Amino acid sequence: MNLSFEGHHGTSSTSAKEILLSNYKLSIGHQEWLGNGVYFFVPGISTKTLELAEKWAVAQAWDNLNKVFLYRDYCVLQSRIEVDDSAFLDLTVEDGVEILSYLVDRYTEKINTIGRKMMFLDGLLLNLAREEGILPLEVVKGNFYIKFARERVERINLRINNCTICAVFNPTRNITSTSIVKTGRIK
Amino acid sequence: MKLKDVKEQIDAFFDTITAEELYAISVLKYGFSEITVDLENVHFETTAVSHYSSDTPSAFDEQHGHSSFGLALAA
């Protein structure tokens, strides 16, 4: 593993304890930015990754449908992520974007031959690339605009990215240590 | 990871799989949605949208090629 960096993950205290006992579980679903995986704020556009993870934990606590907090006690976990360069797709740099663009080109070229037009989501394409063995993806990094509590309450929808996140697809392999670095309570 | 290191793998996959197979796994296994709205035949009567008539070369219609792109821009 020739790349190593730290990431921060915000979640409820209950989930944090479970993670420490039995490791992370993948977030799965079509709305995941970089596909199925465990998500971390990592240094990039912002270096304040602990603060971002804390804001995320607070934002995720609110159940907007039922207007209740799902949890009030939260934690920020700090994990060491290690990966070989050959299994790391960095979408914050030209080399990475070039790969994604080529993947899209080949995909559309093929699917258009039968007159189909698909709606693209980065995460779905990355899931396909990884699970079909097209790319040896273990960790993917990208810049995104993420809405935290303030952005959600005040309807702030910018297009400019505000953080860098990474998704780890196999936490057992690529996360070498995890510890709680901050706890808090939503009042 | 750089394109030169993975291009062969990407090409091998897309050269091998059929379009029908790719469509099937995209939808059934990975949850892709298909764009089913035909923009050429959408009815705009209920919206305040101005649009080219059906016989106007469209800048976005690939069948007209680059020359019509220029025409549409100039129109």
Side-chain angles (χ1 to χ4, degrees), chain A residues 83-113:
Chain A
V83 61
D84 283 328
D85 183 59
S86 60
F88 178 57
L89 179 59
D90 187 350
L91 295 171
T92 69
V93 298
E94 186 175 4
D95 282 337
V97 174
E98 199 174 31
I99 292 171
L100 187 65
S101 298
Y102 189 68
L103 197 61
V104 171
D105 287 349
R106 291 301 321 259
Y107 183 95
T108 52
E109 179 185 84
K110 176 67 75 171
I111 213 81
N112 286 349
T113 62

Side-chain angles (χ1 to χ4, degrees), chain A residues 30 85-89 95-96 98-99 102-103 106-107 110-111 113-121 124-125 127-128 131-137, chain B residues 1-27 29-36 62:
Chain A
H30 70 281
D85 183 59
S86 60
F88 178 57
L89 179 59
D95 282 337
E98 199 174 31
I99 292 171
Y102 189 68
L103 197 61
R106 291 301 321 259
Y107 183 95
K110 176 67 75 171
I111 213 81
T113 62
I114 54 170
R116 303 285 190 181
K117 292 194 182 301
M118 310 306 287
M119 195 176 295
F120 277 96
L121 287 175
L124 297 183
L125 194 60
N127 283 345
L128 185 148
E131 292 181 29
E132 296 302 318
I134 307 172
L135 295 176
L137 297 177
Chain B
M1 188 185 293
K2 295 182 191 305
L3 182 58
K4 65 179 175 61
D5 302 322
V6 293
K7 185 174 181 298
E8 205 171 299
Q9 282 173 256
I10 297 173
D11 287 338
F13 176 81
F14 287 104
D15 289 345
T16 305
I17 195 168
T18 67
E20 289 79 6
E21 286 168 344
L22 182 61
Y23 174 74
I25 63 167
S26 296
V27 174
K29 190 172 174 185
Y30 296 103
F32 280 69
S33 310
E34 188 171 4
I35 299 170
T36 53
E62 292 172 358

Side-chain angles (χ1 to χ4, degrees), chain B residues 38-63:
Chain B
D38 182 358
L39 291 174
E40 291 291 322
N41 296 302
V42 165
H43 295 288
F44 288 107
E45 291 94 307
T46 56
T47 64
V49 176
S50 60
H51 58 94
Y52 292 111
S53 63
S54 59
D55 58 351
T56 303
S58 166
F60 305 105
D61 186 346
E62 292 172 358
Q63 292 174 353

Side-chain angles (χ1 to χ4, degrees), chain A residues 4 9 13 22 34 44 47 50 57-58 62 100 107 114 153 158 164 174-175:
Chain A
S4 177
H9 178 96
S13 292
S22 54
L34 296 167
T47 57
L50 192 155
V58 172
W62 181 246
L100 187 65
Y107 183 95
I114 54 170
V153 170
L158 301 180
T164 304
N174 298 106
I175 297 174

